[in-house]
Amino acid sequence: MNRPARDAAPLLSVENLTVRYQLGRGLTGRARTLTAVRDVGFTIGGGRTLGLVGESGSGKSSIGRAVLRLAPVTGGRIVFDGQDTAAFGRRTPLSFHRDVQVVFQDPMSSLNPRQTIATTIAQAVTRHRRLSAAERDREVLGALDRVGLSGYHRDRYPHELSGGQRQRVAIARALAPRPRLIVCDEPVSALDVSTQSQVVNLLMELQRELGVSYLFIAHDLEIVRHISDEIGVLHHGRLVESGPADQVYRHPSDPYTKALLASTLVANPVRQAARTARRRASAGTGIAPGGGL
Ligand code: ADP
Ligand code: MG
């Protein structure tokens, strides 16, 4: 996973980011706020992946949304391709909408249930480019092919596909404008374990092919490890640890990272089964390790 950085200057630079939400007035009439992210910094180079992990409520999605300009940046700054995004003001340039895409956890709710897959992807393909009908159809087929779907899936509706296939459609849609960065907010958390690794592998292949960068958010350190060049660990809105993926995974220095690692190891059914088998074997029960997987 130690790929060299392709660009000297990072594509995305998040500096001392703070995200604070206004919660309205409490009973005392005083305005209340909730600080979801405090003083967080990281960079992502071209063609690279930063994995962001932390338990539910730790501020992961707030960071992803801040990058997408959908959450309030109340401190620090976010620089994309050399441009401070705060300078955009209320008018986010079309180029930024094209360059920074998102894949959410639940494709069922992010895809329009009344639209065929072809219509969904065609909209994404033509949003930033003028194409003839024939060019558009070719692009749609190419986009499906790239994520491992075929012409058969073109005229299906989201409910006719499996969870993994739907997530492939969401990835095809995100890639259609040829973005430079995709915020992947728990894109495999709703999928079963074998489908998770297929979708993670697909994202990695697409990165090699297209050079796109990922901000990959998950609550599972095990998943983030495979796709990430660097990993950041969030706890209560703060980055408690960050560094090269293997280093964070193999030699975590923060106690919270260690706890997170221990919990994901137990939550992973394959590893759990292997551990149980080893325990049984060492207890001399005669049950062969690896059975029942
Ligand atoms: P994660 O993605 O790690 O689960 P989030 O970024 O969604 O965490 O949430 C971090 C904290 O911010 C949580 O306490 C959550 O309740 C709060 N929060 C998230 N979005 C909003 C919002 N739009 N308004 C107020 N509070 C929010
Ligand atoms: Mg979230």
Side-chain angles (χ1 to χ4, degrees):
M1 208 75 354
N2 291 323
R3 276 173 273 154
R6 290 179 198 174
D7 295 329
L11 179 65
L12 179 76
S13 173
V14 170
E15 301 164 13
N16 307 103
L17 174 66
T18 294
V19 175
R20 189 169 292 134
Y21 297 107
Q22 302 292 332
L23 298 182
R25 294 183 186 284
L27 292 175
T28 58
R30 207 182 293 161
R32 292 171 309 153
T33 61
L34 185 146
T35 305
V37 178
R38 283 174 203 269
D39 204 21
V40 163
F42 57 82
T43 60
I44 308 180
R48 309 269 295 177
T49 299
L50 177 93
L52 204 53
V53 276
E55 64 197 350
S56 177
S58 57
K60 306 181 297 294
S61 294
S62 295
I63 293 176
R65 284 200 303 267
V67 169
L68 292 158
R69 310 203 77 227
L70 300 172
V73 175
T74 48
R77 48 182 219 148
I78 296 176
V79 180
F80 179 78
D81 196 21
Q83 272 190 297
D84 184 345
T85 58
F88 298 157
R90 287 180 178 275
R91 293 189 156 207
T92 306
L94 278 180
S95 62
F96 184 85
H97 280 304
R98 187 188 60 220
D99 284 344
V100 185
Q101 294 291 317
V102 62
V103 173
F104 291 109
Q105 174 174 339
D106 179 8
M108 202 55 201
S109 61
S110 69
L111 297 174
N112 185 336
R114 295 198 184 82
Q115 276 183 358
T116 63
I117 303 315
T119 307
T120 292
I121 295 178
Q123 279 175 352
V125 163
T126 53
R127 185 160 298 141
H128 301 282
R129 277 181 292 164
R130 271 183 188 281
L131 298 174
S132 70
E135 285 168 332
R136 184 195 61 206
D137 292 347
R138 218 175 19 250
E139 289 273 333
V140 169
L141 268 183
L144 288 176
D145 183 55
R146 197 177 282 145
V147 298
L149 298 174
S150 66
Y152 166 81
H153 301 102
R154 194 175 44 181
D155 302 319
R156 307 270 79 79
Y157 289 86
H159 74 268
E160 297 179 274
L161 304 183
S162 70
Q165 288 169 336
R166 281 196 289 267
Q167 202 54 299
R168 286 171 191 266
V169 173
I171 292 166
R173 178 178 59 181
L175 284 173
R178 303 179 183 173
R180 301 174 68 191
L181 173 70
I182 303 182
V183 175
C184 303
D185 191 351
E186 307 227 23
V188 300
S189 300
L191 306 176
D192 61 62
V193 174
S194 62
T195 314
Q196 283 185 342
S197 51
Q198 286 168 15
V199 171
V200 166
N201 287 339
L202 172 68
L203 285 166
M204 291 172 73
E205 265 170 50
L206 291 166
Q207 182 172 66
R208 279 193 289 273
E209 198 180 310
L210 306 168
V212 64
S213 303
Y214 299 132
L215 171 57
F216 190 97
I217 295 171
H219 56 261
D220 186 337
L221 195 49
E222 185 78 21
I223 285 184
V224 158
R225 179 197 178 194
H226 290 292
I227 194 169
S228 304
D229 298 291
E230 277 90 36
I231 290 179
V233 181
L234 265 189
H235 187 41
H236 295 323
R238 292 181 196 275
L239 208 52
V240 292
E241 178 150 2
S242 62
D246 267 4
Q247 182 190 312
V248 170
Y249 187 83
R250 287 181 202 279
H251 310 289
S253 60
D254 186 84
Y256 177 71
T257 313
K258 290 178 187 167
L260 196 65
L261 199 52
S263 72
T264 57
L265 291 182
V266 171
N268 182 317
V270 176
R271 281 182 172 257
Q272 197 169 16
R275 275 152 65 120
T276 307
R278 271 201 304 276
R279 259 202 315 274
R280 280 181 184 150
S282 64
T285 56
I287 299 170
L293 276 182

